[in-house]
Amino acid sequence: MGRYIARRLLLFIPTMLAALTLVFVIFRLVPGDPARLMAGDAATEESIAQLRQEMGLNDSILSQYVRYLDDLLHGDLGRSRVYQQSVIDPIMDRLPNTLILAAAAMSIALLIGVAIGVLSALRAHTWVDHLSMLTAVAGVSLPGFWLGLMLVMLFSVQLGWLPVAGYSTKWGIVLPAITLAANQMAVLARMTRSTMIGVMHQDYIRTARSKGLPQRTVVTAHGLRNAMIPTLTVAGVQLGYLLGGSLVVETVFAWPGLGRLLMDSIQQRDYPMIQAIVLVYALLMLTVNLIVDVLFAVVDPRVSYG
Amino acid sequence: MASVPAVPVPLERDAEPPSRRARTFRRFLNNPSGRLGLLIVLIFVVATVVAAFWTPYPVDQPDLPNRLASPSWAHPMGTDDVGRDVLTRIAVGARYSLTMGVVAIALAAAVGVPIGLLAGYRGGWWDTGSMRLVDVLMVLPTFVLAVAIVSVLGSGIRSVILAVAVTTIPIFARLTRSVALTVRAQDFVAAAQVVGASESRILVRHVLPNSLSPLVVQASLGIGATILIAAALGFLGLGVQPPTPEWGSMLSRGRSYMSSAPFLVFFPGMAIVLLVLGFNLIGDSLRDALDPWMREID
């Protein structure tokens, strides 16, 4: 297991390099001229030429790439054109908010998704099951921005129970977290249902039953515990989607996270900032995957890692 | 293939007897959610075709006296902030969502499937190399990658299609590879190799047809996912630009009038939900129909 974890940690380096390269490719191999893109439509030829010089776009693509990696290695992610400072501070200001929102959403999704999945599995092929699974397909089909607005309309505008937007109040996180959780909740419910049905047919469940254990113990201690492994794996993978979804949800709820900063930066053509944020998202996703993989090596004794 | 192969007849035939495909289709139609999905998608397709020739109101002509009218017999979904009929605009907008979904997935499959076929069939460094390359696209959350690409390419229908296609290539490549791996081990592939069929012929005539089922399922689910992403990009102002009646951008515009005219947000959103749901139901039911064993244990 130690070897597996070590190998997994080592693998992080080439994957990160791949991510860096991907971001470089996206932002440098623009059809046309990155400087023109950045300067905007109103810019003069002179200012574009000057920008090209500043950005080092006149050098070869290879030397641009090497300089880019070199800068990153020294912790230099670039200078924001809007904030007139290194991009790191604005990003670090926003990052915790995105993480809090993602964590809250994932907790909700796991809690409710697993509960629905278990209920469906135990009542398989009854109307409870059909209804939950139909809700789950609908949940996968919901656009986050629309769900968010509908929830605001219902709970904030009509009922006045929760704040419309924001971060400012204690309860402000409830609606964005639920919105962000909806898709994952549906995915996890479906996953839990199908694995749980498989697990409940296993011999050890029959053994547990024949020992005379109460249904609750059989379901939770024997069934759910085994069914959780694939569900948690999926949850780990889904965290990436959650981060992507947070981009939209943060915009809807004016949540001051990374996604909001990204959207603002796109509007302001702040390309150094855009590039840095995209990079941070990659780093987040790779780190989450790493943590999930390592955790599973520790937690799951059945899988042997060569 | 100028020379005549020695035993062409049994190999030329489709490896799957047609009756099996027919049975699959019947199983699909027997599933209520499959029928519902098909019905929903058909309604939108019909709406698109009809709206191409006739709409109750002009798509893009302001009618200011009638602005923000609530749903009524004359305007079943109300009118927007300049008095345009929302139902008309949603019907016309179906064209864009369907096009983006179908074209993006077709593009992704056109790139991803050959990569996956070669990787699965050839194995070795081809496999490792192409899969590593494809994996690079998966280091970013899908939506962030799409936003990054659109932010560079500029907004518009072409950028959205390209962005979504790029993010979906890995799914098709990986899936095709895994199916091709199993198909490669089948006897009919070995038989084709023995008679000296060329690699491209084996891939196109034998491996691909026998790998299609999961790909069709993935395509249906993928179209749904693409429509969602495209609408989200439209909502964020990065997708199809107004005055084109794209659902996401309509919704975003309607947001400013949310308290006085909530239907401006509700109906475009409903359209997105229904169309995506339709494709998801079709995909799910196809999967069940193709995999009767899975259905048994379910």
Side-chain angles (χ1 to χ4, degrees):
Chain A
M1 195 179 77
R3 267 190 57 197
Y4 168 78
I5 293 177
R7 224 178 50 194
R8 188 63 188 75
L9 281 170
L10 266 178
L11 197 66
F12 189 76
I13 299 166
T15 334
M16 197 56 219
L17 193 65
L20 299 179
T21 310
L22 176 69
V23 173
F24 178 81
V25 168
I26 293 176
F27 286 95
R28 294 301 155 95
L29 298 184
V30 190
D33 185 347
R36 196 173 292 275
L37 196 68
M38 211 159 127
D41 299 328
T44 61
E45 288 302 319
E46 267 171 30
S47 62
I48 291 173
Q50 197 194 340
L51 201 57
R52 283 184 68 82
Q53 191 63 43
E54 272 172 39
M55 290 167 72
L57 291 173
N58 295 324
D59 305 343
S60 73
I61 244 329
L62 191 69
S63 62
Q64 286 185 46
Y65 181 60
V66 170
R67 196 173 52 238
Y68 163 77
L69 289 185
D70 186 57
D71 285 349
L72 286 176
L73 216 61
H74 293 98
D76 178 7
L77 273 94
R79 244 183 101 76
S80 161
R81 286 161 49 82
V82 172
Y83 289 79
Q84 291 296 328
Q85 55 165 326
S86 165
V87 295
I88 293 179
D89 290 336
I91 288 179
M92 282 308 161
D93 279 350
R94 309 292 193 95
L95 184 58
N97 296 334
T98 291
L99 293 181
I100 291 169
L101 184 60
M106 195 37 107
S107 315
I108 297 174
L110 265 176
L111 220 68
I112 302 181
V114 169
I116 293 178
V118 169
L119 195 73
S120 260
L122 296 180
R123 304 258 182 286
H125 304 296
T126 64
W127 65 268
V128 177
D129 178 30
H130 293 312
L131 189 70
S132 329
M133 283 308 110
L134 194 67
T135 317
V137 191
V140 180
S141 316
L142 280 180
F145 50 92
W146 184 71
L147 178 65
L149 291 173
M150 289 294 121
L151 290 175
V152 166
M153 212 122 79
L154 181 63
F155 290 104
S156 312
V157 179
Q158 297 288 329
L159 299 170
W161 289 354
L162 290 164
V164 173
Y167 180 67
S168 39
T169 57
K170 189 171 60 167
W171 295 102
I173 196 173
V174 177
L175 289 183
I178 291 177
T179 307
L180 191 51
N183 276 312
Q184 320 305 322
M185 204 190 298
V187 172
L188 294 177
R190 282 154 60 118
M191 187 73 209
T192 308
R193 174 185 178 270
S194 63
T195 44
M196 191 72 183
I197 286 177
V199 165
M200 292 308 277
H201 282 104
Q202 297 291 322
D203 288 342
Y204 54 78
I205 296 292
R206 201 173 334 131
T207 312
R209 285 230 165 90
S210 57
K211 278 196 298 189
L213 291 179
Q215 167 79 353
R216 224 174 82 195
T217 319
V218 176
V219 170
T220 51
H222 296 258
L224 190 55
R225 223 171 134 191
N226 287 293
M228 274 314 274
I229 292 162
T231 303
L232 284 178
T233 316
V234 171
V237 176
Q238 290 289 324
L239 255 170
Y241 289 92
L242 207 100
L243 286 172
S246 68
L247 227 138
V248 178
V249 174
E250 285 176 11
T251 307
V252 171
F253 288 95
W255 186 262
L258 214 50
R260 194 70 212 285
L261 186 60
L262 177 59
M263 295 320 299
D264 290 346
S265 306
I266 289 176
Q267 240 159 33
Q268 294 155 336
R269 295 166 175 277
D270 190 352
Y271 279 88
M273 183 66 100
I274 301 172
Q275 189 176 330
I277 296 173
V278 171
L279 208 55
V280 171
Y281 270 112
L283 189 65
L284 274 179
M285 177 122 153
L286 295 179
T287 313
V288 166
N289 287 345
L290 177 72
I291 293 172
V292 170
D293 281 0
V294 170
L295 268 184
F296 272 96
V298 177
V299 169
D300 186 0
R302 287 184 303 187
V303 188
S304 81
Y305 297 93
Chain B
M1 287 306 290
S3 60
V4 181
V7 263
V9 186
L11 291 175
E12 294 292 334
R13 225 185 267 147
D14 210 338
E16 261 187 2
S19 70
R20 192 161 143 200
R21 202 155 282 175
R23 263 184 297 159
T24 304
F25 190 63
R26 206 169 323 127
R27 264 203 304 273
F28 169 74
L29 284 183
N30 275 334
N31 188 339
S33 36
R35 283 203 303 267
L36 181 63
L38 208 57
L39 181 73
I40 294 174
V41 171
L42 270 178
I43 290 175
F44 278 101
V45 171
V46 169
T48 304
V49 174
V50 171
F53 296 103
W54 174 83
T55 51
Y57 294 89
V59 185
D60 223 0
Q61 200 170 351
D63 176 16
L64 289 171
N66 262 325
R67 64 193 295 267
L68 298 176
S70 295
S72 63
W73 282 111
H75 298 282
M77 296 182 184
T79 61
D80 70 4
D81 54 314
V82 289
R84 296 172 297 193
D85 180 51
V86 175
L87 176 63
T88 299
R89 291 180 68 73
I90 285 182
V92 173
R95 181 191 311 166
Y96 301 98
S97 290
L98 282 169
T99 311
M100 287 189 283
V102 173
V103 176
I105 291 303
L107 263 179
V111 179
V113 170
I115 293 177
L117 276 180
L118 279 174
Y121 182 74
R122 284 193 180 164
W125 70 265
W126 240 101
D127 186 16
T128 327
S130 57
M131 284 304 116
R132 283 299 91 78
L133 212 61
V134 159
D135 282 348
V136 173
L137 291 176
M138 295 169 85
V139 297
L140 272 173
T142 316
F143 192 65
V144 175
L145 179 57
V147 165
I149 294 176
V150 174
S151 81
V152 168
L153 290 182
S155 51
I157 195 164
R158 278 223 196 116
S159 311
V160 173
I161 289 176
L162 199 68
V164 182
V166 168
T167 61
T168 319
I169 289 172
I171 301 178
F172 276 99
R174 288 220 146 265
L175 184 65
T176 313
R177 171 184 174 272
S178 68
V179 190
L181 271 177
T182 16
V183 176
R184 183 181 64 169
Q186 306 278 325
D187 288 340
F188 58 81
V189 173
Q193 286 166 340
V194 170
V195 276
S198 68
E199 184 186 50
S200 55
R201 186 180 174 79
I202 295 178
L203 284 178
V204 174
R205 296 297 298 263
H206 301 287
V207 181
L208 181 61
N210 288 288
S211 312
L212 270 183
S213 317
L215 291 177
V216 172
V217 172
Q218 186 54 51
S220 184
L221 298 174
I223 292 175
T226 300
I227 293 173
L228 269 185
I229 295 180
L233 289 172
F235 177 79
L236 293 175
L238 296 171
V240 183
Q241 296 296 302
T244 307
E246 194 272 328
W247 295 341
S249 68
M250 282 171 70
L251 207 155
S252 158
R253 193 183 167 118
R255 209 186 146 189
S256 324
Y257 307 94
M258 214 170 71
S259 47
S260 59
F263 51 88
L264 288 184
V265 171
F266 180 77
F267 288 115
M270 247 357 243
I272 300 167
V273 176
L274 281 176
L275 188 54
V276 175
L277 181 69
F279 280 110
N280 281 342
L281 287 174
I282 292 178
D284 279 359
S285 311
L286 271 179
R287 177 161 42 203
D288 287 347
L290 287 163
D291 201 348
W293 180 79
M294 270 304 288
R295 216 176 163 195
E296 292 281 296
I297 66 157
D298 256 22

